Amino acid sequence: MKPKHTIWRLMSYSLQYKSSYVILFFTMILGIGLDLGMAWYLNQVTNAAIADGQVLWKSLALTGVIILLLNVINSYVDTYFKTRVSSKIRNRIRLDTLKKLLRLPESHYNENHSGELLSRMTSDNQAIGRACTDTIIDLIRSPLLAILAFVYLLTIQWQLALICVIIGPMTVLIGALYGKSLRRNSQELQTGVGKMTSLLQEIFGSSIVFKTFGLEKKLFGRFHTSSEDISRLEVEGGRIHASLSATAIAVGHFSFIITFVLGALFVSNGSMTIGGLIAFIQLLNHLTWPFTGMASLWGDLQQALGAADRIFKLMDQKHEYTELPEQTINQQPAYLEVDHITFAYNPSHPVLHQISFAVRPGQVIAIVGSSGGGKSTIFKLLLGLFQQNEGQIRINHTDTQSMKLEELRSYFALVPQDNVLYSGTVRENIANGNLNATEDEIRSAAQDANALDFILELPDGFETDIGEGGTFLSGGQKQRIAIARALLRNAPILLLDEATAALDRKSESLVQEALERLMVGRTTIIIAHRLSTIQNADEIIVLDQGRIVDRGSHEQLLAAGGLYQQLVHKGNQTDVIVDPNVSGVSNA
Ligand SMILES: Nc1ncnc2c1ncn2[C@@H]1O[C@H](COP(=O)(O)OP(=O)(O)OP(=O)(O)O)[C@@H](O)[C@H]1O
């Protein structure tokens, strides 16, 4: 994105706080006036001290007090409004970013590290907040102050004022010189931080795995590489910053020494008063700093523009919904047809070929097959997370591609394999199935899911906090909460990705019972792993390497031999698990 374009977009956020910027404009002007006023005041006081005549010390003292008071008030108002505007802009951008992220298609989450998406919300957001207030105001204030200080100094000693100002502009070039490298460095650093955050998320979310497999050293090694990369980029950024400020300081000090020595000469030959020299010294910083400081301000602005660029790129991604969708639930019975669909995540490698099946309300279809056969991908297509390349999916004879995504998804309830739950209470998690459900409906869903008894035994019953992702619950309890959530949704099509993890017998039969209640009257598709589930299905579809290699009832398929027979025998007919990891027929 062109920097100019990024700046305009940033300005559109700032313009929403026009009145605060008007106040900041006044504090800036008053601040400039006070800086100049202080130089004038020192000039007056010094000259009064040297002069023997009648000096109005009282009025000088009063002026000093007024300058001081105005400085205090101005600094308070200025800091307060800068912080206020910055945090409001950051808040808006943060909300817009998340609003966008929530509406992005599944493919976006597929292609981007979650840590990188997180850093859009954190460090990038922070950099923008600073740029929209301190940096941008200083970029206006500094040259303005420099011009006014120059005009004032001209009235004191014009030759000296001219000498000072000739040196200053040299430093403007410095900013332009280093700006590009700073921006590149900031972009690389952000990518590195994003990767590191993703890795940390994986590490913290997998403590049981790394502890069991003794992966601590390996993970530390990966983190070490990532952390070292960041450190290298930070050092490189520091080097650019250091060169920038060293060059700027050299120019600043050089101009200071020149001015001071020449100023002393002008005082000694009588063309300037000592008060004038004091005022010069007081204003010299304001005269040269704008030039020296501009370089580093420019650097900050480049960094912020880098951050804004990344955020706006994200905001420009194509979204699924124009607005955040309301939760909608369609409760009319649904006849589902999958008609010759073919799909590829990557064009050169199709993962589903010519898949067809149909399910009526009250019917259950079980999909079984080898790992990587495409079972979950069918669910993703049904839910409109990805679009098939060929074929049609129809609900009640309507092509789902002609439906809005909210409408399509309103037909479905899902019980995922890993029972995704959110931190919060048991009640909140069940209520996610239907945000308008009454307490009685929530309780009744919990009861039908065989979850009520254990919920009531929890320390705070329905109000018990289940921890991040439900860490305080057992596997079977989490499954039953997920089933209660789906029951509460009461949608006509149920997608059930059966958990492969074996539960103890009691838990297993509680879950099984709950699932049977959930399936009643619905159009159900199960990615099935348990023989009992499969045997009760109206039709079993056997999937291998993206193709339906067999279909029929349990008995028909067993008699036919083939992959189904292998899967069942591999599961040893124990009624526990049809092993999803057995190799496909063609690989066998
Ligand atoms: N998000 C994705 N991006 C690219 N390829 C993918 C993606 N998800 C799955 N695949 C590939 O698509 C194929 C089918 O995967 P899918 O997850 O549908 O299989 P599955 O039958 O559900 O497997 P399992 O039983 O192991 O869960 C696999 O080859 C897999 O590598």
Side-chain angles (χ1 to χ4, degrees), residues 110 345 349 351 370-377 380 580:
N110 241 17
Y345 290 103
H349 182 61
V351 294
S370 49
S371 177
K375 302 182 290 295
S376 311
T377 305
K380 291 180 195 165

